[in-house]
Amino acid sequence: MGTVTLGVSIAVPEPYGSLLQERRASFGDPAAYGIPTHVTLLPPTEAEADDLPAIEAHLSQIATAGRPFPMRLSGTGTFRPLSPVVYVQVVEGASACSWLQKRVREASGPLVRELQFPYHPHVTVAHGIEEEAMDRAYEELSSYEAAWTCGSFALYEQGADGVWRKINEFPFGAGGGAPAVPAQGGSSMDQPSLHP
């Protein structure tokens, strides 16, 4: 069946997800509508398509052992000059994200990989665009605030068109109580609805 490019992330729910996606587009980031607004748990990773059932079973096991937790975003940060990224900071929920991403990549699982940079949970709002636009993103979102209860994470696959689409969502706990995360709008591209 070949290889697929996968990612695991926590979706930023509405109304925050669409708003940040639209702001990212307004800064001139061409990837804005191809990437749902998220906090990464596993960056883009090549995997064998045949391994998908084992990967989904692994993620399901992690989610079942977890529980919902508060997430809060506040203000901006940047990885420049190391990496051309401006992001909204995760100021609450970062330790839970760190715990989850370690479990996703653990040596006994099917998604083992080393990270290029130390893990730092964040929500990208500008990537690889003109410096002036990066500065604008940093300034204009510096007072941004959002908070919600994170009840799940999801597995995504990147299509040949560069768009990330959800394959499956994994609610925390014994499979109940996770709020639905609606699809983010603002684009004519096919974007599946996200639900547990």
Side-chain angles (χ1 to χ4, degrees):
M1 281 178 73
T3 62
V4 290
T5 301
L6 303 175
V8 178
S9 64
I10 293 169
V12 175
E14 297 304 337
Y16 316 119
S18 289
L19 180 125
L20 288 176
Q21 195 174 49
E22 288 162 12
R23 294 308 308 273
R24 184 170 179 171
S26 78
F27 301 132
D29 191 328
Y33 291 124
I35 305 172
T37 309
H38 68 282
V39 176
T40 298
L41 298 177
L42 178 77
T45 299
E46 292 288 313
E48 293 296 324
D50 290 343
D51 291 340
L52 273 171
I55 289 168
E56 292 198 67
H58 171 64
L59 296 175
S60 181
Q61 190 174 33
I62 294 165
T64 299
R67 64 180 187 273
F69 59 91
M71 289 278 285
R72 190 163 66 88
L73 309 179
S74 182
T76 49
T78 184
F79 294 131
R80 295 183 292 174
L82 200 58
S83 181
V85 172
V86 171
Y87 58 86
V88 172
Q89 299 185 73
V90 175
V91 296
E92 187 175 3
S95 59
C97 292
S98 293
W99 182 88
L100 286 167
Q101 66 88 25
K102 283 179 192 166
R103 298 308 171 282
V104 168
R105 298 183 301 105
E106 65 193 353
S108 62
L111 292 171
V112 180
R113 67 162 289 171
E114 292 297 316
L115 297 180
Q116 186 179 359
F117 301 105
Y119 182 72
H120 180 84
H122 64 280
V123 177
T124 297
V125 290
H127 180 218
I129 58 176
E130 301 267 338
E131 284 297 317
E132 296 80 12
M134 300 276 271
D135 291 342
R136 195 161 62 86
Y138 187 88
E139 288 300 321
E140 290 182 15
L141 292 170
S142 63
S143 60
Y144 183 79
E145 297 275 342
W148 70 96
T149 298
C150 176
S152 64
F153 61 85
L155 175 65
Y156 292 82
E157 179 180 349
Q158 187 177 37
D161 57 2
V163 175
W164 287 90
R165 295 179 176 88
K166 184 181 73 90
I167 297 175
N168 202 349
E169 188 161 349
F170 302 91
F172 294 126
V181 180
Q184 291 162 18
S187 169
S188 59
M189 290 185 185
D190 172 36
Q191 293 185 19
S193 65
L194 306 180
H195 54 80

